[in-house]
């Protein structure tokens, strides 16, 4: 297929649309096609876990329609269109019965929620929220309901716990983890966040496995391995996301945790790139906004003729638990080390040092969040 075909981006999440915006800053003319399985509306995904407290409908979280994005980007946006296969030799995409040529292809297909074994049986009573459509569906399922059980106590589960309780719901959280967000923060920091969420009324069942999860009238009933039983009107699964790999796998691309790309966001197949939640850059699959924005800037340059290697500075994440403000820089650059937590009450500083005394990560709560900038400067870059 010829180089005259468009640059095609599959996915119109923050990765796809931000890449398109960056490309347009460098090249206003190149033919650009974005293809998405969803409705192509532009929205900021982090708002999904702050919408219940503000009683926002899904439509209110959408900033622009697909048509408006197409106009702004001088691009074509093909919405409600699933890419079903890639033919890297012919540089063709299959869209069901149709096909589409590309000159260069970028996969920005995101990640999908891991499914609990009861998901099929429970249908609308057990949902997850990973996009605008899911958010609207969950809001609809919540109509007239009060008691929500969240399964999972990672970052997303904690954010939804805070948001739903602030939105007037009765919230319980069930997780096999011994404390909140164990992949990100040490136990004393987790305890501070938990205490503040409990003060708002959230009930935690941590370190518990679910033995059964069944429909119970209009709601659900859970039995845990500590013998306790929970009844709720609605369940929300927040057990994590996994990069969407099916398309890349079919095309024979190298896979790790995500679609494996080099520092130029390139796969080993000529003319195919990946970024965002679906991509793994030198072993890092970072499902956050700042890394994908950094990657979008670098990839846009490469696609526009200025080959540009990606580097990541350390990029702390603000966790949206306003009950206990929290900022985290996970210690991605250390193979070993230990956390030391100081401070009192909800004003904590946890620092992760290696054996040589180099700082690799931090978690700050309450008033200590103000130390974020100073500490970030002391961290090694995540990808140098
Ligand atoms: P997505 O937004 O998932 O987009 C994937 C796109 O690919 C979609 O348009 C989809 O339709 C399309 N697609 C997939 N497969 C196909 C196919 N075969 N054919 C056509 N189209 C396809 N990060 C932060 O840094 N800070 C936060 O506060 C924060 N809060 C979050 C809160 C929630 C509730 C969630 C779920 C995530 C949060 N994140 C946060 C993570 C951040 O939002 C994501 O890292 C980011 O939005 C991912 O963007 P993406 O474009 O890679 O993927």
């Amino acid at each position: 297929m010829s180089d005259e075909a468009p640059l095609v981006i599959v996915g119109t999440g923050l990765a796809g649309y931000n890449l398109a915006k960056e490309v347009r800053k460098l090249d206003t003319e190149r033919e650009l096609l974005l293809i998405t399985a969803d409705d192509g509306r532009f929205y900021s995904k982090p708002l999904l876990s702050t919408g219940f407290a503000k009683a926002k409908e899904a439509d209110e979280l959408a900033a622009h329609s697909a048509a408006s994005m197409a106009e702004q980007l001088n691009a074509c946006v093909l919405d409600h269109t699933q890419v079903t296969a890639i033919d890297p030799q012919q540089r063709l995409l299959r869209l069901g019965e149709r096909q589409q040529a590309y000159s260069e292809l970028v996969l920005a297909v995101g990640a999908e929620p891991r499914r609990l074994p009861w998901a099929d049986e429970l249908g609308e009573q057990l949902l997850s929220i990973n996009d605008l459509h899911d958010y609207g569906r969950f809001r609809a399922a919540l109509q007239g309901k009060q008691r929500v059980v969240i399964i999972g106590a990672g970052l997303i589960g904690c954010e939804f716990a805070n948001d739903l309780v602030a939105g007037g719901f009765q919230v319980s959280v069930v997780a096999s983890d011994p404390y909140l967000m164990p992949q990100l923060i040490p136990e004393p920091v987790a305890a501070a966040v938990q205490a503040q969420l409990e003060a708002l009324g959230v009930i935690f069942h941590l370190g518990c496995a679910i033995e059964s999860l069944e429909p119970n009238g209009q709601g659900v009933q859970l039995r845990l391995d500590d013998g306790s039983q929970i009844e709720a009107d609605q369940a929300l699964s927040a057990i994590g996301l996994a990069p969407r790999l099916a398309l890349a796998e079919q095309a024979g691309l190298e896979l790790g945790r995500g679609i494996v790309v080099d520092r130029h966001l390139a796969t080993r197949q000529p003319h195919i790139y990946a970024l965002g939640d679906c991509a793994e850059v030198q072993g890092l699959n970072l499902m956050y906004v700042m890394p994908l924005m950094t990657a979008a800037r670098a990839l846009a340059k490469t696609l526009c003729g200025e080959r540009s290697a990606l580097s990541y500075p350390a990029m702390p994440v603000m966790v949206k638990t306003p009950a206990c403000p929290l900022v985290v820089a996970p210690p991605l650059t250390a193979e070993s080390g230990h956390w030391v937590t100081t401070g009192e009450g909800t004003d904590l500083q946890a620092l992760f040092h290696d054996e040589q005394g180099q700082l690799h990560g931090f978690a700050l709560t309450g008033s200590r969040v103000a130390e974020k900038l100073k500490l970030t400067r002391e961290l090694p870059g995540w990808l140098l």
Side-chain angles (χ1 to χ4, degrees):
M1 206 25 76
S2 78
D3 287 332
E4 275 129 50
L7 163 61
V8 177
I9 301 172
V10 184
T12 56
L14 289 173
Y17 272 143
N18 274 297
L19 175 64
K21 286 182 190 176
E22 294 297 332
V23 167
R24 277 293 174 249
K25 286 182 193 166
L26 302 172
D27 184 339
T28 52
E29 296 303 322
R30 182 173 187 177
E31 196 185 345
L32 184 55
L33 170 65
L34 293 104
I35 305 176
T36 179
D38 61 27
D39 60 16
R41 285 188 289 178
F42 178 78
Y43 70 103
S44 173
K45 191 178 284 199
L47 295 181
L48 298 180
S49 48
T50 61
F52 293 97
K54 297 176 192 148
K56 293 272 190 197
E57 297 296 336
D59 287 349
E60 295 176 271
L61 298 183
H64 301 284
S65 67
S68 156
M69 290 307 290
E71 197 184 330
Q72 287 175 44
L73 292 166
N74 181 27
C76 182
V77 178
L78 216 51
D79 56 30
H80 296 106
T81 304
Q82 182 95 21
V83 176
T84 48
I86 304 167
D87 179 341
Q89 274 67 45
Q90 301 292 320
R91 282 201 248 173
L92 281 179
L93 298 179
R94 307 232 172 267
L95 319 173
E97 298 298 297
R98 286 177 293 158
Q99 57 186 37
Q100 170 66 50
Y102 63 85
S103 55
E104 283 165 304
L105 172 66
V106 181
L107 298 175
V109 291
E112 58 204 345
R114 295 181 197 279
R115 279 172 73 79
L116 285 163
W118 307 277
D120 286 338
E121 187 196 347
L122 285 164
E124 295 301 293
Q125 289 166 315
L126 171 61
L127 296 174
S128 51
I129 303 177
N130 184 41
D131 59 29
L132 213 47
H133 175 262
D134 294 341
Y135 176 85
R137 190 174 166 193
F138 190 78
R139 280 192 75 84
L142 271 186
Q143 283 298 318
K145 297 181 176 173
Q146 260 307 301
R147 297 167 304 168
V148 181
V149 59
I150 299 174
I151 301 161
L155 182 148
I156 302 287
C158 291
E159 290 192 352
F160 278 122
N162 200 148
D163 193 38
L164 285 161
V165 80
F169 295 92
Q170 290 170 32
V171 178
S172 15
V173 177
V174 175
S176 52
D177 296 323
Y179 57 88
L180 308 186
M181 300 177 264
Q183 282 82 19
L184 290 176
I185 56 177
E187 200 275 338
V189 175
V193 178
Q194 181 175 339
Q196 293 309 105
L197 289 173
E198 283 172 341
L200 293 182
V202 180
I203 297 170
F204 288 93
H205 302 263
L206 299 176
C208 297
I210 300 173
E211 285 192 335
S212 69
L213 173 48
E214 292 169 348
N216 178 23
Q218 296 298 303
V220 295
Q221 180 173 291
L222 293 83
R223 224 184 30 252
L224 308 182
D225 66 353
D226 66 356
S228 55
Q229 201 156 297
I230 301 168
E231 290 187 1
D233 303 317
Q234 179 65 38
L236 176 64
S237 172
I239 57 165
L241 298 170
R244 281 199 185 94
L245 300 179
L247 206 49
E249 185 174 18
Q250 169 278 325
L253 304 182
E254 187 184 347
L255 305 178
R257 268 197 69 202
I259 303 168
V260 173
V261 291
D262 65 15
R263 296 281 293 265
H264 298 92
L265 288 312
T267 68
R268 291 219 186 131
Q269 274 293 349
H271 312 292
I272 304 184
Y273 303 80
L275 87 163
D277 280 8
C278 66
E280 176 184 320
V281 192
Q282 301 226 313
L284 293 173
N285 168 235
L286 301 173
M287 294 199 210
Y288 301 112
V289 175
M290 293 295 284
L292 71 79
M293 306 273 275
T294 311
R297 282 191 291 275
L299 181 53
K301 281 189 189 161
T302 297
L303 292 170
C304 294
E306 186 195 329
R307 217 168 122 73
S308 175
L310 175 64
S311 55
Y312 286 142
M315 291 172 275
V317 179
M318 296 295 299
V319 181
K320 302 187 293 298
T321 46
C324 182
L326 169 65
V327 60
V328 184
L332 300 178
T333 45
E335 286 188 357
S336 63
H338 57 276
W339 287 104
V340 173
T341 306
T342 53
E344 292 206 349
T346 51
D347 300 322
L348 299 179
Q349 180 206 62
L351 302 180
F352 188 98
H353 288 100
D354 66 14
E355 309 312 330
Q356 285 71 46
Q358 165 68 49
L359 182 70
H360 285 275
F362 60 76
L364 308 168
T365 61
S367 63
R368 308 298 291 265
V369 166
E371 295 160 24
K372 179 182 103 169
L373 276 182
K374 177 184 153 287
L375 288 169
T376 304
R377 282 190 216 111
E378 295 176 30
L379 293 174
W382 286 350
L383 188 61
L384 295 172

